[in-house]
Amino acid sequence: GVLFPLDIVCKYSQPEGLPMLIKHVAEFINRLSDTKIDPRNILITNGATNAITLLSYYFKEFRTARGVLIQNPTYDTALNIFRSQHYKIYGTHPNLTRWKNIKFDLAYCSFKFHNPTGLYFSFSQADTIKKELLAHGYLIEDDAYGLFADEPTIDFVEHPRYVYVGSFSKYIFPGIRMGYIVADEKIIEHLKIIQKYHNSHPNLLSQIMLLRYLEQDKFFDEIKERKRLLNEKRKFFEATLSDSIR
């Protein structure tokens, strides 16, 4: 068929994303996760950064969250998004120790290839920490790099206060700006309204491009190729690293 069907790209669309794309994203997630996700629990976004922006607004305005727990250091763009919403920032060690005396409403964490430290938690470690954090407040898991693992999985925690942020941009190309949020249906309903008045809907051309990748089952080939390139860069870095640094 036509790559960009005019009956879709020439009009406004649903704030949550194209229904067919949401269906394929749900199938993609269910292929990698033990938790089966309903399409009603998914919101398509213009990348993970847009997802964090929408969530920061949601938790401040609809859940009156004021304090956010982050790993220190953390993804600088996310940090500045929370600052722009005037959250009180509570930093803790990137391996998520020494936080239990901190009173926070919301935690923003990465458990796989944490940006910028590269920390990677085992499934059991991450599962334990996620459940402990959820006993204290809401948790946003940013998993933008998780599919670069040797055996990629998406590891959800079934909890109404758990929110998962995923990205396709890191695996196809950054400019596609496609991400998604998985959350309780009540949270998604609020996010749909916020997205509608924040940026109308996710970019239609990017949505259709991503849909074609998923329909033709090419996405995992892209991950494989990106991993090959990253390994080449790592080997080059190791070979040229100064002996004084080793």
Side-chain angles (χ1 to χ4, degrees):
V2 178
L3 180 59
F4 301 125
L6 295 181
D7 63 327
I8 294 177
V9 300
C10 291
K11 61 183 181 182
Y12 288 114
S13 183
Q14 300 90 332
E16 65 269 28
L18 295 172
M20 184 58 69
L21 177 58
I22 292 173
K23 174 179 177 291
H24 277 276
V25 170
E27 292 172 354
F28 163 81
I29 294 169
N30 293 338
R31 181 173 171 178
L32 294 169
S33 173
D34 291 334
T35 305
K36 300 309 174 189
I37 300 299
D38 189 281
R40 291 174 294 182
N41 298 106
I42 297 172
L43 181 91
I44 305 298
T45 66
N46 290 321
T49 300
N50 177 232
I52 297 165
T53 301
L54 296 173
L55 288 165
S56 71
Y57 183 87
Y58 165 77
F59 282 110
K60 182 184 178 186
E61 298 299 327
F62 291 89
R63 297 296 175 183
T64 63
R66 292 294 178 264
V68 57
L69 179 75
I70 63 165
Q71 293 152 294
N72 185 21
T74 198
Y75 176 39
D76 62 335
T77 300
L79 176 61
N80 284 310
I81 288 170
F82 289 117
R83 282 177 173 163
S84 73
Q85 293 289 337
H86 306 292
Y87 281 85
K88 185 174 179 59
I89 307 297
Y90 298 104
T92 190
H93 194 281
N95 66 13
L96 291 167
T97 57
R98 302 188 298 275
W99 58 264
K100 293 185 180 180
N101 292 325
I102 300 174
K103 292 183 179 180
F104 60 90
D105 309 297
L106 173 67
Y108 166 79
C109 302
S110 295
F111 298 92
K112 295 177 182 175
F113 306 115
H114 170 258
N115 181 2
T117 67
L119 275 174
Y120 189 101
F121 294 78
S122 70
F123 171 80
S124 59
Q125 286 177 315
D127 189 60
T128 298
I129 295 171
K130 290 176 194 179
K131 289 174 180 175
E132 290 175 345
L133 290 167
L134 286 164
H136 289 72
Y138 287 87
L139 168 62
I140 300 171
E141 178 179 358
D142 186 344
D143 194 26
Y145 298 94
L147 299 185
F148 284 128
D150 291 335
E151 295 182 6
T153 59
I154 296 175
D155 305 318
F156 292 113
V157 175
E158 295 188 70
H159 196 289
R161 292 199 296 267
Y162 174 76
V163 178
Y164 178 92
V165 173
S167 174
F168 292 99
S169 306
K170 303 297 187 294
Y171 311 107
I172 301 176
F173 52 87
I176 197 172
R177 304 309 304 141
M178 280 282 97
Y180 60 97
I181 297 170
V182 180
D184 183 85
E185 189 176 352
K186 292 179 181 178
I187 295 177
I188 294 296
E189 287 301 314
H190 281 293
L191 292 173
K192 285 161 62 174
I193 296 170
I194 296 168
Q195 175 136 275
K196 176 177 176 61
Y197 297 109
H198 180 75
N199 57 333
S200 294
H201 50 72
N203 184 277
L204 286 169
L205 300 183
S206 292
Q207 286 191 79
I208 294 169
M209 292 173 69
L210 175 58
L211 178 59
R212 295 295 182 261
Y213 271 95
L214 295 174
E215 283 179 334
Q216 298 170 20
D217 206 25
K218 290 183 177 180
F219 184 69
F220 288 95
D221 291 336
E222 291 295 326
I223 293 177
K224 186 177 179 181
E225 177 62 11
R226 295 298 178 276
K227 287 168 70 173
R228 183 188 69 79
L229 292 171
L230 286 171
N231 282 327
E232 285 185 1
K233 289 182 178 181
R234 177 180 57 81
K235 290 175 182 176
F236 175 78
F237 177 79
E238 290 173 347
T240 55
L241 191 65
S242 170
D243 289 336
S244 63
I245 297 175
R246 292 174 192 271

